[in-house]
Amino acid sequence: MRKKGEFCHMAFSPTEAPVYGGGTIVVAFSESSLLPGNEAELYLVFQGSSARHITLARRLNTHSLQAIVPGHNCFELAQLSVYAFHNGGMELLSDGMFNFVPDSTFFLAQFLAGSVRDVNALDDPASLKTEQFDLWSEDMSTLDERLACAFEHLELPPSWRLVEDSSRLDQDPPPRETLLHFAARLGLSQFAQQLLDKAGSDVALRLPNKNGELASDLARARGLEDLADRMLEHTLSGDGSSQHDDLGRVQTKSVSVKRHSIGTATITTKTGETTRTLEDDIQMLRELVSFMGEDNMENESPISTSRTPLDDSGGSPNYSSPSGSKPGSNRDSKNLDDDDDDDDEDDEENVASRSPKLKVLEQSMQQLQAISESVQRLKDRNKALLSEEASRRESLSRFSASCPVLAEDKKRKKKGKV
């Protein structure tokens, strides 16, 4: 790997981001910086204490780049480096420090994940605040994207479900405000779509709240017709979670790759669980991005992390209809019947075609990782053998010098050659 590039001076914004990532970072180089040509691929590398993220950057112009900030595994100051891949080699252009921090949305996501254990946790909107977050101080125009990203970043246990006491469903269970009710009531369409893919979503959709409302009723009342329709289809299917293969995200035990909607991608490696090098990860990222193709990009837009008070007047907010924009889209009900048959056929074709692709991606990633690890083991073994041979020769040389008989014999052989 080449050394740090000369005469490359950079600045970047922001210098910190929520630990769940998702926002946009822009890197600008001075006009005097000598950058590689357009044929070079540029990467941002976020190096933490136990995880490394390599993000493919997109050129905005000759001296600035754009990328998506990856989600990190802890709050810490990480090293941010910019590398160029060209002419078959890596060149470090510049580096700095980037801070991954907690924010109110992260703590809100944690609270909501834990709320499934308390049937009354979401009943009173005024109680949805702690020292770490206040729902009504969030910027509602961007909360949907931020909350979906933060919730996705949580490492939920395998046993986590949207309704923990689902065994009581056939025994006249008490009504409750589920997370799907919460998302639909606030118009958080993206967050609700994410929840539909979680275990127990079928149970949550059939549970009314204390006002007798289903989550789909609240979604339709908010004008989120698409979300309400999907909730209804999900209820009728009876599945515990929606099985949607995400071709924009592939992962193995220690490595994961994620595509972004701006045409870039990120590979994350748990550095404590693998011997993979920076070059190994970049090569895998290049091959997988090429294999995944443009058609499989994830619908993930860069998120805003700004938070402003919802109501400057200080009055009590209207829980059913908070201020700010309403995420989601309206759909004319008279067109639903005409579209249903076509949508069902398209869904069946997509599920049938995407599942094999996802398996191939995962297998390809596992094979690439296995090959890389095998090569690394061979390198380590050869290095150890060479070191052992050098040590043996050095020991033999010392022994020969310290033994008079061998030393004399060595002199005789030398004279004989002469």
Side-chain angles (χ1 to χ4, degrees):
M1 182 181 297
R2 302 172 189 174
K3 295 182 180 180
K4 184 175 179 179
E6 296 180 356
F7 311 117
C8 289
H9 306 286
M10 76 171 184
F12 51 89
S13 180
T15 57
E16 66 176 34
V19 69
Y20 51 83
T24 299
I25 181 172
V26 174
V27 179
F29 289 89
S30 64
E31 293 185 1
S32 60
S33 296
L34 301 178
L35 298 179
N38 291 333
E39 73 282 356
E41 298 172 2
L42 301 177
Y43 296 89
L44 271 60
V45 179
F46 298 80
Q47 179 68 61
S49 57
S50 60
R52 178 179 63 228
H53 317 278
I54 304 174
T55 299
L56 179 64
R58 185 179 71 172
R59 291 181 187 254
L60 295 178
N61 52 50
T62 56
H63 287 90
S64 61
L65 318 172
Q66 180 187 48
I68 300 295
V69 178
H72 195 45
N73 62 341
C74 63
F75 313 136
E76 66 174 350
L77 196 62
Q79 184 174 33
L80 170 59
S81 306
V82 179
Y83 284 87
F85 180 85
H86 62 129
N87 298 327
M90 297 294 300
E91 179 183 358
L92 173 59
L93 301 180
S94 190
D95 54 25
M97 301 303 293
F98 190 87
N99 201 14
F100 288 98
V101 298
D103 73 344
S104 59
T105 310
F106 172 79
F107 291 116
L108 173 60
Q110 285 190 320
F111 171 84
L112 294 176
S115 70
V116 298
R117 297 187 293 268
D118 182 357
V119 296
N120 301 313
L122 303 178
D123 285 345
D124 183 10
S127 68
L128 296 185
K129 63 179 180 179
T130 66
E131 293 181 356
Q132 298 169 318
F133 75 87
D134 182 352
L135 175 63
W136 301 106
S137 293
E138 295 286 342
D139 180 357
M140 288 294 171
S141 67
T142 61
L143 178 61
D144 191 16
E145 294 170 301
R146 287 184 286 113
L147 184 56
C149 190
F151 201 87
E152 179 188 24
H153 186 69
L154 296 177
E155 294 187 2
L156 300 174
S159 60
W160 190 90
R161 299 176 59 84
L162 274 172
V163 180
E164 294 239 331
D165 55 349
S166 57
S167 60
R168 300 182 57 190
L169 185 62
D170 298 326
Q171 305 172 8
D172 193 22
R176 64 179 298 176
E177 189 91 359
T178 69
L179 279 176
L180 282 171
H181 286 85
F182 170 84
R185 186 183 295 279
L186 292 180
L188 305 177
S189 178
Q190 186 174 328
F191 180 44
Q193 297 274 4
Q194 185 185 97
L195 293 174
L196 288 176
D197 293 332
K198 301 296 184 184
S201 57
D202 58 328
V203 176
L205 287 171
R206 290 148 60 192
L207 274 178
N209 61 15
K210 293 180 180 179
N211 295 324
E213 301 164 312
L214 297 174
S216 58
D217 296 332
L218 295 176
R220 208 171 294 281
R222 284 280 300 190
L224 304 176
E225 299 292 343
D226 287 343
L227 176 61
D229 291 342
R230 188 184 170 194
M231 286 180 169
L232 181 59
E233 293 168 2
H234 192 74
T235 303
L236 295 176
S237 70
D239 292 334
S241 63
S242 298
Q243 301 299 321
H244 291 288
D245 293 333
D246 187 359
L247 295 179
R249 181 189 298 273
V250 186
Q251 65 182 39
T252 61
K253 181 180 179 182
S254 58
V255 181
S256 64
V257 177
K258 182 177 181 180
R259 289 295 305 268
H260 307 298
S261 62
I262 66 171
T264 63
T266 298
I267 183 169
T268 296
T269 301
K270 297 179 181 178
T271 52
E273 299 180 9
T274 180
T275 57
R276 296 181 57 79
T277 65
L278 180 67
E279 290 88 345
D280 292 335
D281 282 350
I282 287 181
Q283 187 59 36
M284 177 183 283
L285 181 59
R286 297 177 76 237
E287 293 177 4
L288 285 174
V289 167
S290 176
F291 185 82
M292 294 161 97
E294 294 295 329
D295 294 336
N296 299 323
M297 288 199 303
E298 188 174 352
N299 291 324
E300 177 198 318
S301 300
I303 64 172
S304 168
T305 56
S306 61
R307 291 166 297 281
T308 55
L310 182 65
D311 185 355
D312 294 335
S313 65
S316 300
N318 183 343
Y319 186 55
S320 298
S321 181
S323 302
S325 64
K326 298 179 181 180
S329 60
N330 295 328
R331 183 177 176 182
D332 193 340
S333 60
K334 67 180 181 180
N335 294 326
L336 290 179
D337 294 336
D338 296 337
D339 295 343
D340 281 345
D341 294 338
D342 293 337
D343 290 344
D344 290 342
E345 292 176 2
D346 291 341
D347 290 342
E348 291 175 1
E349 291 177 359
N350 288 337
V351 170
S353 62
R354 292 172 71 192
S355 295
K357 290 181 182 178
L358 183 61
K359 291 179 181 178
V360 171
L361 282 173
E362 292 174 344
Q363 291 171 358
S364 299
M365 192 167 176
Q366 290 170 353
Q367 290 171 357
L368 285 171
Q369 185 173 356
I371 291 171
S372 176
E373 291 175 352
S374 297
V375 171
Q376 186 62 42
R377 284 195 296 269
L378 287 174
K379 288 181 179 179
D380 293 341
R381 183 181 176 185
N382 289 336
K383 186 178 180 180
L385 288 174
L386 290 173
S387 177
E388 183 180 339
E389 179 65 17
S391 178
R392 186 186 68 80
R393 289 181 179 179
E394 184 180 354
S395 298
L396 183 59
S397 177
R398 287 198 302 267
F399 179 71
S400 299
S402 63
C403 180
V405 176
L406 290 176
E408 187 64 29
D409 185 59
K410 188 174 182 181
K411 287 180 180 179
R412 286 198 300 269
K413 287 181 178 179
K414 210 169 186 181
K415 288 181 179 179
K417 288 182 180 180
V418 174

PDB file of all heavy atoms in Angstrom, residues 404-418:
ATOM      1  N   PRO A 404      35.335 -25.469  17.907  1.00  0.00           N
ATOM      2  CA  PRO A 404      36.636 -25.441  17.225  1.00  0.00           C
ATOM      3  C   PRO A 404      36.736 -26.466  16.106  1.00  0.00           C
ATOM      4  O   PRO A 404      37.301 -26.180  15.056  1.00  0.00           O
ATOM      5  CB  PRO A 404      37.619 -25.754  18.358  1.00  0.00           C
ATOM      6  CG  PRO A 404      36.892 -25.372  19.605  1.00  0.00           C
ATOM      7  CD  PRO A 404      35.455 -25.670  19.339  1.00  0.00           C
ATOM      8  N   VAL A 405      36.252 -27.672  16.323  1.00  0.00           N
ATOM      9  CA  VAL A 405      36.349 -28.730  15.327  1.00  0.00           C
ATOM     10  C   VAL A 405      35.641 -28.333  14.047  1.00  0.00           C
ATOM     11  O   VAL A 405      36.169 -28.457  12.935  1.00  0.00           O
ATOM     12  CB  VAL A 405      35.794 -30.061  15.875  1.00  0.00           C
ATOM     13  CG1 VAL A 405      35.811 -31.133  14.781  1.00  0.00           C
ATOM     14  CG2 VAL A 405      36.586 -30.514  17.079  1.00  0.00           C
ATOM     15  N   LEU A 406      34.354 -27.828  14.205  1.00  0.00           N
ATOM     16  CA  LEU A 406      33.587 -27.416  13.034  1.00  0.00           C
ATOM     17  C   LEU A 406      34.219 -26.213  12.353  1.00  0.00           C
ATOM     18  O   LEU A 406      34.229 -26.101  11.126  1.00  0.00           O
ATOM     19  CB  LEU A 406      32.142 -27.089  13.444  1.00  0.00           C
ATOM     20  CG  LEU A 406      31.276 -28.286  13.856  1.00  0.00           C
ATOM     21  CD1 LEU A 406      29.915 -27.805  14.329  1.00  0.00           C
ATOM     22  CD2 LEU A 406      31.116 -29.250  12.690  1.00  0.00           C
ATOM     23  N   ALA A 407      34.767 -25.318  13.160  1.00  0.00           N
ATOM     24  CA  ALA A 407      35.404 -24.134  12.591  1.00  0.00           C
ATOM     25  C   ALA A 407      36.621 -24.514  11.771  1.00  0.00           C
ATOM     26  O   ALA A 407      36.856 -23.988  10.674  1.00  0.00           O
ATOM     27  CB  ALA A 407      35.784 -23.159  13.706  1.00  0.00           C
ATOM     28  N   GLU A 408      37.459 -25.469  12.317  1.00  0.00           N
ATOM     29  CA  GLU A 408      38.648 -25.925  11.595  1.00  0.00           C
ATOM     30  C   GLU A 408      38.266 -26.657  10.319  1.00  0.00           C
ATOM     31  O   GLU A 408      38.888 -26.488   9.264  1.00  0.00           O
ATOM     32  CB  GLU A 408      39.463 -26.844  12.515  1.00  0.00           C
ATOM     33  CG  GLU A 408      40.819 -27.246  11.945  1.00  0.00           C
ATOM     34  CD  GLU A 408      41.737 -26.041  11.760  1.00  0.00           C
ATOM     35  OE1 GLU A 408      41.596 -25.054  12.520  1.00  0.00           O
ATOM     36  OE2 GLU A 408      42.584 -26.084  10.848  1.00  0.00           O
ATOM     37  N   ASP A 409      37.191 -27.498  10.415  1.00  0.00           N
ATOM     38  CA  ASP A 409      36.725 -28.241   9.245  1.00  0.00           C
ATOM     39  C   ASP A 409      36.241 -27.284   8.157  1.00  0.00           C
ATOM     40  O   ASP A 409      36.455 -27.502   6.965  1.00  0.00           O
ATOM     41  CB  ASP A 409      35.599 -29.187   9.664  1.00  0.00           C
ATOM     42  CG  ASP A 409      35.155 -30.066   8.503  1.00  0.00           C
ATOM     43  OD1 ASP A 409      35.999 -30.805   7.965  1.00  0.00           O
ATOM     44  OD2 ASP A 409      33.958 -29.980   8.139  1.00  0.00           O
ATOM     45  N   LYS A 410      35.616 -26.206   8.580  1.00  0.00           N
ATOM     46  CA  LYS A 410      35.102 -25.209   7.637  1.00  0.00           C
ATOM     47  C   LYS A 410      36.258 -24.514   6.913  1.00  0.00           C
ATOM     48  O   LYS A 410      36.202 -24.250   5.705  1.00  0.00           O
ATOM     49  CB  LYS A 410      34.253 -24.179   8.392  1.00  0.00           C
ATOM     50  CG  LYS A 410      33.509 -23.210   7.489  1.00  0.00           C
ATOM     51  CD  LYS A 410      32.598 -22.327   8.303  1.00  0.00           C
ATOM     52  CE  LYS A 410      31.820 -21.395   7.406  1.00  0.00           C
ATOM     53  NZ  LYS A 410      30.935 -20.505   8.184  1.00  0.00           N
ATOM     54  N   LYS A 411      37.366 -24.264   7.663  1.00  0.00           N
ATOM     55  CA  LYS A 411      38.533 -23.630   7.047  1.00  0.00           C
ATOM     56  C   LYS A 411      39.170 -24.551   6.020  1.00  0.00           C
ATOM     57  O   LYS A 411      39.595 -24.123   4.949  1.00  0.00           O
ATOM     58  CB  LYS A 411      39.547 -23.270   8.136  1.00  0.00           C
ATOM     59  CG  LYS A 411      39.129 -22.090   8.985  1.00  0.00           C
ATOM     60  CD  LYS A 411      40.184 -21.801  10.031  1.00  0.00           C
ATOM     61  CE  LYS A 411      39.783 -20.609  10.916  1.00  0.00           C
ATOM     62  NZ  LYS A 411      40.791 -20.337  11.953  1.00  0.00           N
ATOM     63  N   ARG A 412      39.281 -25.867   6.353  1.00  0.00           N
ATOM     64  CA  ARG A 412      39.877 -26.835   5.432  1.00  0.00           C
ATOM     65  C   ARG A 412      39.084 -26.916   4.126  1.00  0.00           C
ATOM     66  O   ARG A 412      39.639 -26.973   3.040  1.00  0.00           O
ATOM     67  CB  ARG A 412      39.971 -28.224   6.081  1.00  0.00           C
ATOM     68  CG  ARG A 412      41.077 -28.332   7.126  1.00  0.00           C
ATOM     69  CD  ARG A 412      41.398 -29.802   7.396  1.00  0.00           C
ATOM     70  NE  ARG A 412      40.242 -30.506   7.877  1.00  0.00           N
ATOM     71  CZ  ARG A 412      39.921 -30.631   9.171  1.00  0.00           C
ATOM     72  NH1 ARG A 412      40.689 -30.073  10.111  1.00  0.00           N
ATOM     73  NH2 ARG A 412      38.862 -31.309   9.538  1.00  0.00           N
ATOM     74  N   LYS A 413      37.753 -26.922   4.253  1.00  0.00           N
ATOM     75  CA  LYS A 413      36.900 -26.995   3.064  1.00  0.00           C
ATOM     76  C   LYS A 413      37.079 -25.742   2.205  1.00  0.00           C
ATOM     77  O   LYS A 413      37.089 -25.806   0.972  1.00  0.00           O
ATOM     78  CB  LYS A 413      35.421 -27.117   3.467  1.00  0.00           C
ATOM     79  CG  LYS A 413      35.084 -28.489   4.025  1.00  0.00           C
ATOM     80  CD  LYS A 413      33.609 -28.574   4.388  1.00  0.00           C
ATOM     81  CE  LYS A 413      33.262 -29.960   4.900  1.00  0.00           C
ATOM     82  NZ  LYS A 413      31.828 -30.061   5.277  1.00  0.00           N
ATOM     83  N   LYS A 414      37.273 -24.628   2.864  1.00  0.00           N
ATOM     84  CA  LYS A 414      37.468 -23.378   2.136  1.00  0.00           C
ATOM     85  C   LYS A 414      38.775 -23.401   1.347  1.00  0.00           C
ATOM     86  O   LYS A 414      38.858 -22.980   0.201  1.00  0.00           O
ATOM     87  CB  LYS A 414      37.460 -22.224   3.144  1.00  0.00           C
ATOM     88  CG  LYS A 414      36.938 -20.919   2.544  1.00  0.00           C
ATOM     89  CD  LYS A 414      36.697 -19.919   3.657  1.00  0.00           C
ATOM     90  CE  LYS A 414      36.055 -18.682   3.100  1.00  0.00           C
ATOM     91  NZ  LYS A 414      35.837 -17.682   4.124  1.00  0.00           N
ATOM     92  N   LYS A 415      39.854 -23.938   2.001  1.00  0.00           N
ATOM     93  CA  LYS A 415      41.159 -24.027   1.331  1.00  0.00           C
ATOM     94  C   LYS A 415      41.099 -24.992   0.164  1.00  0.00           C
ATOM     95  O   LYS A 415      41.712 -24.795  -0.881  1.00  0.00           O
ATOM     96  CB  LYS A 415      42.212 -24.476   2.332  1.00  0.00           C
ATOM     97  CG  LYS A 415      42.580 -23.395   3.342  1.00  0.00           C
ATOM     98  CD  LYS A 415      43.647 -23.911   4.298  1.00  0.00           C
ATOM     99  CE  LYS A 415      44.021 -22.811   5.296  1.00  0.00           C
ATOM    100  NZ  LYS A 415      45.047 -23.300   6.262  1.00  0.00           N
ATOM    101  N   GLY A 416      40.355 -26.111   0.366  1.00  0.00           N
ATOM    102  CA  GLY A 416      40.233 -27.122  -0.692  1.00  0.00           C
ATOM    103  C   GLY A 416      39.615 -26.541  -1.942  1.00  0.00           C
ATOM    104  O   GLY A 416      39.967 -26.891  -3.064  1.00  0.00           O
ATOM    105  N   LYS A 417      38.610 -25.671  -1.767  1.00  0.00           N
ATOM    106  CA  LYS A 417      37.944 -25.034  -2.928  1.00  0.00           C
ATOM    107  C   LYS A 417      38.895 -24.123  -3.661  1.00  0.00           C
ATOM    108  O   LYS A 417      38.859 -23.998  -4.877  1.00  0.00           O
ATOM    109  CB  LYS A 417      36.708 -24.248  -2.457  1.00  0.00           C
ATOM    110  CG  LYS A 417      35.570 -25.141  -2.029  1.00  0.00           C
ATOM    111  CD  LYS A 417      34.374 -24.305  -1.621  1.00  0.00           C
ATOM    112  CE  LYS A 417      33.219 -25.201  -1.193  1.00  0.00           C
ATOM    113  NZ  LYS A 417      32.034 -24.420  -0.783  1.00  0.00           N
ATOM    114  N   VAL A 418      39.778 -23.464  -2.880  1.00  0.00           N
ATOM    115  CA  VAL A 418      40.736 -22.566  -3.506  1.00  0.00           C
ATOM    116  C   VAL A 418      41.766 -23.372  -4.322  1.00  0.00           C
ATOM    117  O   VAL A 418      42.088 -23.049  -5.451  1.00  0.00           O
ATOM    118  CB  VAL A 418      41.448 -21.702  -2.451  1.00  0.00           C
ATOM    119  CG1 VAL A 418      42.542 -20.868  -3.109  1.00  0.00           C
ATOM    120  CG2 VAL A 418      40.462 -20.809  -1.764  1.00  0.00           C
TER     121      VAL A 418
END
